Structures are given as C-alpha cells and as structure tokens.
Amino acid sequence: MTSPSIRIRGGRATVAAATAAMALSLGLPALAGSADAAGAGEAGAPRPVAGSARPAPTVAEARAALARAERLVRPVSARAAAAALARGGRNATMVLRQVAATRSALEGEERERADALLRRPTSANGDGFLTYTTAEATPVCSDVVCIHYVTSTEDAVDPTDTDNNEVPDYVDSALSTFSDVHRTYTDAGYRPSLPDDGLGGSDLIDVYLGNTGSGGVYGYCTTDEPDRSGFDRWAYCAVDNDFSSDEFPSNTPLGNLQVTAAHEYFHAVQYAYDVAEDSWLLEATAAWVEDEVYDDVNDNRQYLENSILAKPELQLDRFGEPGVFHYGQWIFFRYLTEKYTARTGTLPDLVRRIFEEGSGRVGESNACSLPAIQTALGEVGTDLPTQFALFSAAARRPTATFAEGAALSYPAAPLAGNAILSARTPKRVVPTRRMNHLTSATYRITPQGFTNAKDRVRLTINMQPTARGSRAVLTTYPKVGTPTVRALSLNAAGDASPNFPFSLKSVRYYEVTLVNASTRLGSSSGDFSCGRTMADDGLSAALTVQAYRAR
C-alpha cells in the first residue's frame, strides 16, 4: 500500500476534558493565552494535592470557558487556518478541557451548548470541531482501536485503495499507526484507554477522521463519558482527514502521522489515569513520548526554541503563553529519562510512575504534577529540586548533555551575565535578581590576565533559605578536558562563599547557575501546579565575584 498524503504536526490541539459533573469540578486552572491558543480567563479553584474533593466551578467560570470554546469553533478563513497551522495549530485541547471542567455549573440552553461542543462527530446535534453531515462508512477496527471516516463531503478521506482491500489507504495507515502506538504503551505498562460502553460500535477507542485542518486544528482527544465519581475517563480522538502538505508543511506525511498518533493517543492514556491532571504535564509528556515512540521523526525539536531550555527565566510548570511553551517542556522529561533509564517494553518507567502516582481513579493517590514527579523521583533515590538544578546547569551544554543534542542542534540556555575579572577590575557585583519557582540564571566568570597558580576567585552567593528552593551549581570549564559539574553547598540561609583556582593556565572560565527549585504550593488559586499560586516566587538572588591571590 502506498503511503497516503497524511500531514499532521506538533500543534496537536487535543482536548483533555472530562464530562466533569457531580457537584465536583475538575478544578482546572484557567488557561493562559488567546482564544485561538489556550484561551485566557479566570483561574479555577486550587486543586488539592491529593485526593480531597474539588470545589465546584462558578457560573462565571463556566460561561467564560464556553465563550472561549465557541470562539474557537467559529469558521475561519483559509489564510487564518494556514497561519494557525504554521504556528503549530489552534490549541483546542485545553479550551475544550475547560468547558468539560466547568459545564456542570451551567443550566438550560447554556448547558446544551457546552454539551454539544464535546459530542462525537457522528452525533446529529454536535457543535464541536468535527461533525459529520453524512452517514459514516463502516468503521475499520483492529483488536485495540477503531477508525471512523466518511466518503463524501469535505470530511471525506482520499478513496485511493492500492491494495484493493476495500479500505482507503489513508484509513489503513491510520489504523496501523494507532494500533502500533496502543501496543507500545500497553507493553510499557500503561493503562489502555478506558472502555466507552459501546459508543462508536464497540468498547474500543474510536478515532474519527475529518477536515479539522480547515479550522487550523490538527486533531484532538476528548471524552463524552457520563458524570461519575473519580477522574479517570474514557476518550475518543479526531484527526485531519488528509493532512495534505498544502495545509501542513513539514516532515514526511507518514512521520507526521506517527508522531501525532503517539501524542494524541498518549492523551487518551493520560485520561485513563486523571483527566484533570495539570495541563503543562499532559502536554509536555505527550510531546516527550512522540520521540520515544518514533525517534527518527524529531518533530518535537521545533518546540525547543520556546522552552525552558532556551528560556530558563520561565517556570517549568507554566502553561500557555508565550506560544506553545508547555510543549517544549518535554526536554526536562528527556533529561530525566536519559538519566534514569529503567524500562518496561521500549519506554522509560519514570514517566509512567508519574501518572500512576497522579491517578485520579477512586481510592488512588490523585497527586497533581509536581508532587507526582517528586514521588517518582524519590523512588529512584533523588528529588525534583536537585534534578531541576542539575538540569538548569546542563541546559548550558545541550549538545553534550542530550543524546540527540549535537545531531539536532539543541539550543543552549542563554547566559544571564558575564563577569570578566582582571587586575584592574578584580571584583564584580551581579545585580540582585528576582527569581520565580523552577527557574534559573547562569553567570559566567572569566579570568583575564591571571596566570599565577595562586590566583583564585571567591563567589559570594546570597539567596533565600534552602527550604524555599535555593540551589546553586558550578560548572568548571578547564583549559584542557571536558567541563565538570558540582552542586554548591549552601547553608540553611541560602548563602555560600566558596573559592576556586582562577589561573588561565588551568581554567578557561566558570559558570555558576543560581536556581529557585521550589515546588511549594501556595494557598490560593493560580496558574501553576495544582491550579495554585506558588509559595516561593520573586525570591532574591545575589552574586558577587572577586579575584585574589592566595598567600
């Protein structure tokens, strides 16, 4: 069978949504960004760290979510759709997720409008991103997934059938790819997508093909499960019906089908644990797994220019603006899984353990992102602040740090400053910096004219107490050999004054990375982990460096 013209890319406007009911909401934070991206609006109620009931959404929150989603589904011009696709796609994911999280607060006509946004393409009264206006063809199923399609209207697939099996080639490719992805995840120990009570004709997960690209959307996964307790949900997915290169430029058609199937189906797997998990974690790990399943495509490389690797001043658990920052956070999980390499099947165990710890199934732990990551790292003998600090220093040397860093030219984290010390200027005071949680700043300290073996440099570091997340890492760049990295020992107050050799005969320069590695949650609603503010934002960090000659 020839490969169909399938063009899917990394925007992956997936919809992580539950039919959030009962009097419990999913407690999701409002989504940052424009209505054509993640959507802006009020923050939702803080999500408990684990297990306790989540506050019900307000009518105002529900109406705002509904308005954002309805703006997103309005028809757009071909030019606007093309521009959106070139930027990675309009992100339907969290917009519809917020509708599902808050719709229980709506009544009457408003509730019906919200429900319509979440219905399947085959529903006669749907009003979402894809609604069939003709009868679907007979779905084509493997033992794990069913593909739905139509043969007329703008949602039709290309009828080409080169192997004469009475199934269009595009449908064959979609079925094979999604089935392979499913087996990769279940062989690695992940839960499969949950049975859907026969919707779509069986309990298998359903994937619907249609012209989502005309709206600037690559695809999505969502849920239409009736209200019940717990936060594990079944899912169904939709992707574009041809992904032609005219609409979706970059990579090969088959490569883009593969990484999009890996990304989208991973959302369905995530929902089987907790549809209400923090948005940044869902998107970052879905982007991470693309390259684990299909290593040769490298589609997620595009996000690194707008990630914590290139923008260390932005928080790891930030979702939304700027752009698709949350997708780029996949690089942190690549860092972790290249260090902690235990695998089941072909995938690292660490990320699976994060979702197992975050499972929202009734009676399970229901931890949100940062606590779940901390628990998974604790099981391998480390912790999140330590690993984030080491990652922040390693981000200065991505070509040496990551297995594909050199081949794919990963961007390096920028310097926050460069202190050049000389006999004329032996001391530099770095301006005090205010640092938010899970951010970093790296300063280079360069000797100029120091050649005596007794020449040294003293670093005076004044940060906030280590209990609030203060960390510091020193990278030594020797005259000969490879750089070495060490965590600096700060006292409880967050201060240190170590000294090191500073002769150009042995050292080219040092880099000191100051890190706010705090994971402490605040008590009020906000835009970060667990839908909270964070307790340790805006902390001061100061650095003074002075060259001297030892006696």
Side-chain angles (χ1 to χ4, degrees), residues 312-313 392 414-417 433 435 439-443 512-516:
E313 72 280 6
S392 298
L415 288 171
R433 188 181 188 94
M435 302 182 67
T439 65
S440 67
T442 297
Y443 299 90
V512 58
T513 302
L514 306 182
V515 184
N516 180 344

Side-chain angles (χ1 to χ4, degrees), residues 150-170:
V150 296
T151 58
S152 64
T153 76
E154 69 170 3
D155 294 314
V157 299
D158 185 334
T160 301
D161 178 19
T162 57
D163 60 0
N164 297 314
N165 69 344
E166 300 184 356
V167 176
D169 292 348
Y170 184 93

Side-chain angles (χ1 to χ4, degrees), residues 318-548:
R318 184 187 187 97
F319 182 84
E321 291 186 344
V324 290
F325 185 74
H326 42 277
Y327 292 123
Q329 307 308 60
W330 72 266
I331 193 63
F332 181 65
F333 296 97
R334 170 58 61 84
Y335 175 80
L336 295 178
T337 54
E338 286 189 355
K339 292 183 71 172
Y340 301 100
T341 57
R343 289 175 178 257
T344 300
T346 60
L347 297 180
D349 291 338
L350 184 66
V351 172
R352 190 194 72 244
R353 282 295 302 125
I354 292 169
F355 283 99
E356 290 170 345
E357 183 62 24
S359 176
R361 182 172 289 177
V362 172
E364 297 188 352
S365 53
N366 194 26
C368 56
S369 58
L370 297 184
I373 295 168
Q374 174 63 31
T375 297
L377 287 174
E379 293 172 352
V380 295
T382 185
D383 59 72
L384 179 51
T386 295
Q387 292 308 313
F388 182 76
L390 294 173
F391 165 83
S392 298
R396 286 284 304 139
R397 297 170 291 104
T399 59
T401 298
F402 298 98
E404 295 184 321
L408 298 180
S409 302
Y410 285 5
L415 288 171
N418 186 5
I420 300 174
L421 304 185
S422 64
R424 176 173 293 183
T425 311
K427 180 178 180 180
R428 295 277 187 179
V429 177
V430 175
T432 298
R433 188 181 188 94
R434 294 285 175 180
M435 302 182 67
N436 290 328
H437 74 283
L438 296 176
T439 65
S440 67
T442 297
Y443 299 90
R444 180 174 292 178
I445 307 159
T446 304
Q448 188 176 78
F450 295 102
T451 58
N452 191 297
K454 293 185 178 182
D455 290 335
R456 300 188 71 82
V457 63
R458 183 180 304 281
L459 315 181
T460 301
I461 300 170
N462 299 115
M463 301 181 74
Q464 297 302 302
T466 54
R468 302 190 69 184
S470 295
R471 300 290 188 274
V473 179
L474 183 76
T475 304
T476 303
Y477 291 79
K479 183 177 181 180
V480 178
T482 58
T484 59
V485 179
R486 59 180 289 186
L488 296 176
S489 179
L490 305 180
N491 63 23
D495 302 327
S497 56
N499 65 86
F500 305 99
F502 204 51
S503 170
L504 284 166
K505 292 182 178 180
S506 61
V507 176
R508 287 192 296 141
Y509 53 83
Y510 293 100
E511 288 184 356
V512 58
T513 302
L514 306 182
V515 184
N516 180 344
S518 175
T519 61
R520 296 199 310 149
L521 303 176
S523 59
S524 57
S525 63
D527 297 327
F528 298 103
S529 187
C530 308
R532 304 279 188 91
T533 56
M534 300 300 287
D536 297 309
D537 279 346
L539 301 188
S540 63
L543 172 67
T544 299
V545 295
Q546 183 164 9
Y548 67 98

